[in-house]
Amino acid sequence: MKILAIYLFAINVAAFVTMAVDKHRAQTRQGRGAGGRPRPATADMAELARVGVVQAMSLTHKWDDSLAQKVREEEEKVDKYEDALGTYLVKLSSREMSHADSQSVNTLLHTISDFERISDHSVNVLSSAEEIHAKS
């Protein structure tokens, strides 16, 4: 039963990440507002989070030590992205800007937080996969 719950959770996270990445890519192509420069880095962050979830899901079926390590490394990269982008966006938000630009920066701050949380979930799925592997 735990395996089914983990798998269903991971599928939902993967679907959410895919939708979020697609939405973010559409906004990036539009090049909107003051948050324009960090958008490509945010898209990279989103892709790392998406790939991490998919890879962690695959580990619930077939364990691979090197892939598990890769998931952990990708999560660390996402953490670094969040730190760097968050710092930049907070500094940017302290400047004078239009209401639309301020909203764009605020949206990006929330977005990078969401992507970091998704990446954390990939490590949670990895931990469950590791537990499944240890018991089999």
Side-chain angles (χ1 to χ4, degrees):
M1 187 59 120
K2 184 177 180 179
I3 295 172
L4 178 61
I6 292 167
Y7 187 70
L8 291 175
F9 169 77
I11 287 172
N12 286 332
V13 170
F16 173 78
V17 172
T18 300
M19 288 186 332
V21 169
D22 289 345
K23 180 180 178 183
H24 184 75
R25 283 185 181 147
Q27 290 174 343
T28 301
R29 282 192 294 273
Q30 294 171 1
R32 300 188 334 194
R37 286 194 299 168
R39 287 185 187 276
T42 308
D44 292 344
M45 183 182 181
E47 184 63 16
L48 282 171
R50 185 192 69 77
V51 167
V53 169
V54 171
Q55 289 172 337
M57 284 175 50
S58 74
L59 291 170
T60 63
H61 302 291
K62 182 181 177 198
W63 184 256
D64 179 334
D65 288 328
S66 63
L67 185 57
Q69 184 58 34
K70 189 173 179 184
V71 170
R72 289 183 189 98
E73 290 168 1
E74 288 166 349
E75 200 283 327
E76 289 176 19
K77 287 179 188 176
V78 170
D79 284 347
K80 289 177 184 175
Y81 267 116
E82 184 192 30
D83 289 343
L85 289 169
T87 299
Y88 174 79
L89 290 168
V90 167
K91 286 180 183 177
L92 187 63
S93 68
S94 69
R95 295 184 175 182
E96 191 75 28
M97 65 179 80
S98 71
H99 178 70
D101 286 347
S102 180
Q103 283 184 316
S104 181
V105 168
N106 188 44
T107 298
L108 277 172
L109 278 166
H110 286 284
T111 301
I112 64 171
S113 176
D114 290 341
F115 289 149
E116 198 282 326
R117 194 171 327 119
I118 290 164
S119 183
D120 288 343
H121 288 310
S122 70
V123 174
N124 294 341
V125 172
L126 168 64
S127 296
S128 295
E130 201 166 29
E131 184 179 328
I132 292 166
H133 171 68
K135 290 181 180 181
S136 61

